[in-house]
Amino acid sequence: MSYLISGDPAGRRVIFIHGTPGEARGWADFLLHPLPGYEYVAIDRPGFGASGPDGAVVRLAEQAAALEPLLVARSGQWPILVGHSLGGPVVVQAAVDHPGRVGALVIAAGSLDPGLEKIHWAQPIGAWDPVRRRLSRPMRNANAELMALKPELQQLASRLPQLTCRVEIVHGEKDRLVPYANVAFMRGALRQADVRVRTLPSQDHFLPWTSRAEIEAAIARAAQGLGPCR
């Protein structure tokens, strides 16, 4: 697995997980300006960037398992996981699969509600082998992930009520790719977690590039949680 790293090597670790398609370099503005006292790590998720394999890794549990070696405590403080878009369910999966090793979560424009997942008419065409072979690796793997996402979210949904830790949600009301209605689902499903929501009325889906200050403020708030996630 490939990743980029910056900041204080002795500081509390913050791990950034991109959506689909995407890569670690999408978090460049964060890596160039890490908050004092933090170490920032941005990964290429399996199937993207410089990480293997070549094909798609559609199971959320496998995506979360790739984070396990990075879940390192510093002075008793476990990492804060930041997930954008499809990275949102990946960080939640990591928290439920590795209890006690995740300090808090920040979900930016996260897609958690299985009821809101729809297959676009063009996606099965993109999965048809003669077309799929003509697509770039990021696009064909993204298509495979999205087509498999609904049942993956259905499995994850049954585990959301057990999660207990600070969860910061940042979502734009004008998000047309991952509807704002995901926020209501997360509020209801994460009923034992300490959920805080920051609604951005004028923002769309691309928060890592348009709302860095809001996400960094969410990281700072997440650091105040009592954690870790269990």
Side-chain angles (χ1 to χ4, degrees), residues 48-124:
F48 294 94
S51 292
D54 182 65
V57 178
V58 301
R59 294 196 62 239
L60 292 176
E62 291 183 49
Q63 290 281 337
L67 302 176
E68 190 274 336
L70 298 174
L71 302 180
V72 176
R74 302 275 174 72
S75 301
Q77 295 182 315
W78 292 96
I80 298 168
L81 305 189
V82 182
H84 173 240
S85 194
L86 195 143
V90 171
V91 301
V92 175
Q93 185 80 51
V96 298
D97 285 353
H98 302 288
R101 297 187 62 189
V102 173
L105 302 177
V106 176
I107 303 172
S111 51
L112 269 290
D113 186 350
L116 295 174
E117 292 302 315
K118 311 294 182 185
I119 300 294
H120 189 273
W121 64 265
Q123 287 179 269

Side-chain angles (χ1 to χ4, degrees), residues 27-41:
W27 300 100
D29 285 347
F30 293 81
L31 293 163
L32 289 170
H33 306 96
L35 292 173
Y38 290 86
E39 178 187 59
Y40 280 7
V41 179

Side-chain angles (χ1 to χ4, degrees), residues 126-170:
W128 185 43
D129 194 56
V131 176
R132 187 185 64 82
R133 285 183 292 175
R134 292 178 177 269
L135 297 176
S136 66
R137 177 186 181 233
M139 292 307 296
R140 68 172 181 264
N141 287 353
N143 191 49
E145 284 190 328
L146 290 171
M147 291 189 68
L149 184 57
K150 186 182 183 78
E152 288 293 308
L153 292 181
Q154 288 172 332
Q155 293 184 44
L156 179 59
S158 65
R159 303 179 68 187
L160 298 184
Q162 76 188 48
L163 194 64
T164 58
C165 63
R166 174 69 64 84
V167 179
E168 293 283 339
I169 297 171
V170 185

